[in-house]
Amino acid sequence: MVGCPLGCPLFLATLLPTASQARQRSTGGAPFLAPARKNSAFQFQLRTLENDLYMKKNGHDPREFSAPVVDGPERAFSRGMLYAVGFKKEDFKKPIIGVASTWSEVTPCNVHIDKLAREVVQGVEGAAGKSITFNTITVSDGISMGTEGMKYSMVSREIIADSIEAVSAAEGFDGVVAVGGCDKNMPGCLIALARLNRPSVFVYGGTILPGCLNGRNLDIVSIFEAVGAHSSGKISDQELEAVESCAIPGPGSCGGMYTANTMASAIEALGMSLPNSSAQAAISEEKLADCRSAGAAVLNLIKRGIRPSDILSKESFENAMTVAIALGGSTNAVLHLLAIAHAAGVRLKLDDWTRIGKRVPVLADLKPSGRYTMWELVQIGGIIPMMKILLQEGLLHGDCLTVSGKTLKQNLAPVKPYPKGQEIIRPLKNPIKPESHLVVLYGNLAPEGAVAKISGKEGLSFSGVARVFESEEKALRAILDDKIKKGDVIVIRFEGPKGGPGMREMLSPTSAIMGKGLGKEVALITDGRFSGGSHGFVIGHVTPEAFVGGPLAVVKNGDPISIDAEKRTIDLKISKAELQERLKAWKPPKPKYPRGVLAKYAGQVKPASLGAVTD
C-alpha cells in the first residue's frame, strides 16, 4: 500500500510544509473555489451591495445580529471599540463573521490552527464579509491520559461550547466559522453552532502524517502499546525512546480512525463541513483551500438564509452515524452525536445506534483495529468515495442539505471512485464486519445501556470473573505488574461523568492490555469511556454509573460476568435477590471535588446514555 511518507528525525515537523504538498488525490470539485487573497475596495463594495440586495429581496437580513450592535448614533461606542481592532468605516456595512479558533500550543492537534484561521479570514473577507477572530480552549487527551488531568477532557467540551456561544452571541456575529482539531474541539464547536443557530461552517484542522520507524508507520497508540511491551520486557528502553520520538512528527490530529478523525468524518456526513474537509492532511495546500472555501461558504449561507437548523435533522444524524460505523469509528461518536443532537433539538436515542448498526457494515481497515492510517485514506480520495457507495446503496439520505448550499447527493455527484487495487475501504460485498462494531448492550450490569467496541477480531462473546478496581490508575498498575490473567474481566468503576468526575478515557489500560498480548484473553468494563485508539474486548459508558448506585458499584472480585455482543447483553451472573440485597446495602461515596469546574460539572452532567450533556 502506501509506505512511510517521511523519515524519522525528532524535529521532522520542520519539514512538513513541503513534504506533504501535492500528496492528495483530487476527488471531485469543492463547491467553492478558494477566493483570491486580495480584492480591490471596489470589488468589496460591489460584492457587498450585490449580497445586500439579494438577501433583502429574499427576506434575509445579512446583518441580522450585527446591526443592533454597530448601527446608529447610539452605537458609536461599539464602533469606536472596533475601529481600535482594525475595522474600517465600510466594514460596518458588511456581515460580521466570528472565526472561532481552537489554536494553542497545548497539543499537536491544534498547534497550526492559527494559520488555518487566518486562511478562513481570507475567505470571509474575499467574499465581502468582515471577520473577527477569537479563541477558545483545548486540552490534550494524549498528554493527560491516565492522570487526574484527563478528568478535564469531557468538561472541556462544555467549556468550548459555552465560550463559542457566549462570544458569538455577545458580539453580534452574523455567522460563525469554527476551526477545531482535537477530540473535544469538534463536538464542542458543533454544540455551540447548534445552539446559536446562525449560518455556520465547521473546519477540521486535519490529520497528522504518520511517524515512521524502520519502515513501519507509527502514531500515538504505537507509543501507548510500546509502554505495555516495555513493561513485559519485549522492548528495551532505547526501543521505547525510538518509538516515542518518531511517532508524532508534527501538526495534526491523531492519525488512525480515532475520535478526532471519527468526529471530523461524522460532522462532514452531518452536513456541517465542506466536502472532504475531514480527509485532508493538517499541513497541506488542500487544507488551506478548505479554510478559504469555508470563509466564503458562510457568506453564501447568510445570503441564502441557511442555518444549522436547516441542516441538522434526524436524517442528517443518521448519515453521521452511518459514516462513523462504516469507518470503524470511535465509541466517543455515540456520546458526542447524542450531545450535538440535544443542542440541535433533534431526538436521538442510544437505541438509534442499534437500529442503524444492524444495516450498516464496517468497511474501513483503519487503525486501531485495522492496518491503515487516515493519511493513507487521504491518498486514495478520503471518505467521499465511500459515502457515494453508501448513498448508491440507499444507506445515506441524499436529500439532506449541507453547508455547501447543496444536498449531500449533489455534493457526491462528481466524486470519482477509489482507485483499483486499494485495500483500505472494502466493498460492501466483502465488509470487515457485516454489522456495526459499535454495539449497545443492556443487562443487569447496565440497565440503561453500555457501549461496546467489538471489531469481531476479539470474538463476539466473553465470560470470565471480575477483577474490580476503584480507579483507572489501580487497574493500570495491576496490568503492568502482571496481576491480570486470562479470563479476567477488569472492572474499572467510579470513572463515570459524575463519579470521575469527567468520564476519563481508558487508553492507558487498554493499550497496556494489548502490549501485554492479552487482547483476546481479557475484557474490560467501565462507567468511563474509551479513546478512539482503544481496541480489544472493551465496554464503556455503563449506565447508571457506579457513583449514583448503578449495579457496577456492587460487583465483587470473583463474580462471574457474561458479555454477548450478538445478543447485546451484559450481565452479572448472580441471583436477582443477591443483586438487590447488595444494592440496598450500598452507600454513596462523598464527591471527590467539593469546588471548582469539576464540582460544577458533576453537579450538572446527565448520564452517558443521554450524551453526558450539562444543559
Side-chain angles (χ1 to χ4, degrees):
M1 216 32 227
V2 181
C4 292
L6 300 169
C8 189
L10 182 58
F11 297 105
L12 193 55
T14 58
L15 301 179
L16 284 175
T18 56
S20 66
Q21 288 179 357
R23 286 183 172 168
Q24 291 157 312
R25 179 175 175 271
S26 177
T27 57
F32 297 95
L33 294 174
R37 292 173 180 264
K38 293 183 180 179
N39 295 81
S40 68
F42 172 76
Q43 288 173 312
F44 269 138
Q45 292 168 2
L46 182 61
R47 286 190 184 186
T48 301
L49 178 62
E50 289 173 344
N51 287 346
D52 282 357
L53 289 173
Y54 177 92
M55 288 181 267
K56 288 175 180 176
K57 179 181 177 181
N58 289 277
H60 308 311
D61 184 350
R63 300 175 55 248
E64 177 182 356
F65 300 99
S66 63
V69 176
V70 300
D71 284 4
E74 68 277 9
R75 304 306 302 174
F77 56 87
S78 300
R79 296 191 296 275
M81 296 286 281
L82 290 169
Y83 276 124
V85 298
F87 270 57
K88 297 180 175 60
K89 184 176 180 179
E90 60 268 24
D91 292 332
F92 295 110
K93 296 302 179 184
K94 302 172 185 175
I96 297 177
I97 308 300
V99 179
S101 169
T102 59
W103 171 84
S104 76
E105 293 180 344
V106 168
T107 170
C109 309
N110 296 66
V111 72
H112 63 304
I113 284 179
D114 58 332
K115 298 179 179 64
L116 300 187
R118 287 197 288 271
E119 296 297 322
V120 173
V121 167
Q122 292 285 345
V124 168
E125 302 198 353
K130 176 58 184 169
S131 65
I132 295 179
T133 303
F134 65 101
N135 273 90
T136 185
I137 68 159
T138 191
V139 302
S140 173
D141 294 359
I143 295 172
S144 63
M145 197 79 68
T147 73
E148 285 287 292
M150 187 64 196
K151 294 181 177 181
Y152 291 87
S153 175
M154 276 291 285
V155 179
S156 75
R157 185 188 76 178
E158 309 307 300
I159 296 171
I160 291 163
D162 292 350
S163 63
I164 293 175
E165 177 192 354
V167 174
S168 300
E171 303 305 314
F173 297 150
D174 298 301
V176 182
V177 179
V179 189
C182 200
D183 294 8
K184 306 311 164 303
N185 299 161
M186 286 175 272
C189 288
L190 264 291
I191 289 168
L193 301 183
R195 289 177 188 166
L196 287 162
N197 199 30
R198 303 178 188 192
S200 305
V201 180
F202 176 78
V203 177
Y204 178 41
T207 187
I208 197 171
L209 299 180
C212 187
L213 181 65
N214 300 325
R216 181 169 65 98
N217 284 349
L218 303 176
D219 61 15
I220 179 66
V221 177
S222 304
I223 305 176
F224 278 94
E225 293 184 358
V227 170
H230 179 265
S231 73
S232 298
K234 295 177 182 177
I235 64 173
S236 66
D237 291 349
Q238 292 76 17
E239 288 171 313
L240 177 59
E241 184 178 359
V243 172
E244 72 179 59
S245 64
C246 291
I248 306 172
S253 297
C254 299
M257 191 46 62
Y258 310 146
T259 302
N261 283 317
T262 299
M263 288 310 302
S265 301
I267 290 167
E268 181 177 326
L270 197 57
M272 287 299 293
S273 59
L274 293 174
N276 235 22
S277 179
S278 67
Q280 296 163 339
I283 304 298
S284 67
E285 286 299 323
E286 290 80 4
K287 181 48 65 183
L288 299 179
D290 180 44
C291 293
R292 295 192 293 273
S293 295
V298 74
L299 270 298
N300 181 60
L301 295 175
I302 291 174
K303 180 177 179 179
R304 297 181 59 185
I306 298 173
R307 302 180 182 228
S309 58
D310 300 308
I311 295 170
L312 300 176
S313 63
K314 185 65 176 283
E315 292 76 17
S316 68
F317 277 97
E318 290 181 353
N319 286 346
M321 294 159 68
T322 295
V323 167
I325 291 167
L327 290 169
S330 168
T331 52
N332 284 315
V334 178
L335 273 176
H336 296 324
L337 287 174
L338 286 170
I340 297 166
H342 176 77
V346 173
R347 185 171 174 78
L348 194 66
K349 300 180 293 183
L350 194 59
D351 289 341
D352 288 322
W353 284 91
T354 299
R355 177 174 56 83
I356 297 296
K358 286 181 178 179
R359 63 188 183 90
V360 178
V362 178
L363 300 178
D365 191 8
L366 294 167
K367 291 188 174 185
S369 57
R371 295 177 290 168
Y372 299 105
T373 64
M374 189 67 178
W375 178 82
E376 290 167 300
L377 179 59
V378 168
Q379 305 311 298
I380 64 166
I383 73 167
I384 50 177
M386 185 195 75
M387 289 177 65
K388 189 167 185 176
I389 293 168
L390 295 170
L391 177 67
Q392 290 169 341
E393 292 297 318
L395 296 174
L396 291 177
H397 301 285
D399 293 335
C400 290
L401 190 61
T402 74
V403 293
S404 71
K406 301 178 181 180
T407 65
L408 182 67
K409 183 178 181 179
Q410 289 171 327
N411 286 343
L412 295 176
V415 173
K416 298 176 182 178
Y418 288 121
K420 292 181 179 179
Q422 66 82 25
E423 298 179 352
I424 301 173
I425 302 295
R426 294 271 196 93
L428 281 168
K429 293 181 179 179
N430 183 30
I432 290 172
K433 194 168 184 280
E435 292 186 357
S436 178
H437 64 302
L438 299 176
V439 182
V440 178
L441 307 172
Y442 290 96
N444 67 359
L445 260 182
E448 296 174 14
V451 179
K453 186 177 186 181
I454 308 293
S455 71
K457 296 179 180 180
E458 350 34 26
L460 296 174
S461 63
F462 193 96
S463 294
V465 296
R467 291 294 310 281
V468 181
F469 301 92
E470 309 299 319
S471 72
E472 177 188 3
E473 289 89 345
K474 291 177 181 178
L476 178 61
R477 190 71 265 156
I479 297 165
L480 294 177
D481 290 345
D482 296 320
K483 294 180 180 179
I484 299 300
K485 306 299 181 186
K486 180 179 178 179
D488 284 345
V489 179
I490 302 166
V491 175
I492 304 177
R493 61 192 180 195
F494 299 109
E495 292 285 6
K498 288 183 178 291
M503 206 178 181
R504 287 193 288 184
E505 291 181 345
M506 302 292 153
L507 182 57
S508 292
T510 60
S511 296
I513 288 168
M514 301 306 292
K516 289 282 188 179
L518 294 170
K520 297 181 180 180
E521 313 298 337
V522 302
L524 191 154
I525 300 173
T526 181
D527 50 8
R529 60 195 176 94
F530 296 108
S531 162
S534 292
H535 57 126
F537 210 103
V538 296
I539 298 93
H541 310 194
V542 172
T543 312
E545 62 176 287
F547 188 79
V548 300
L552 202 67
V554 297
V555 177
K556 296 180 180 180
N557 282 321
D559 281 346
I561 292 175
S562 178
I563 307 155
D564 192 318
E566 291 186 302
K567 294 180 180 177
R568 304 176 191 273
T569 57
I570 179 169
D571 288 301
L572 183 63
K573 307 301 281 188
I574 62 175
S575 70
K576 184 177 180 180
E578 183 177 354
L579 179 57
Q580 289 177 338
E581 186 177 334
R582 290 187 191 183
L583 289 170
K584 186 176 180 180
W586 181 81
K587 294 182 179 179
K590 292 182 179 180
K592 296 177 183 177
Y593 292 85
R595 61 181 61 86
V597 68
L598 291 178
K600 293 178 186 178
Y601 181 84
Q604 296 178 19
V605 69
K606 292 181 173 60
S609 57
L610 300 178
V613 296
T614 56
D615 63 330

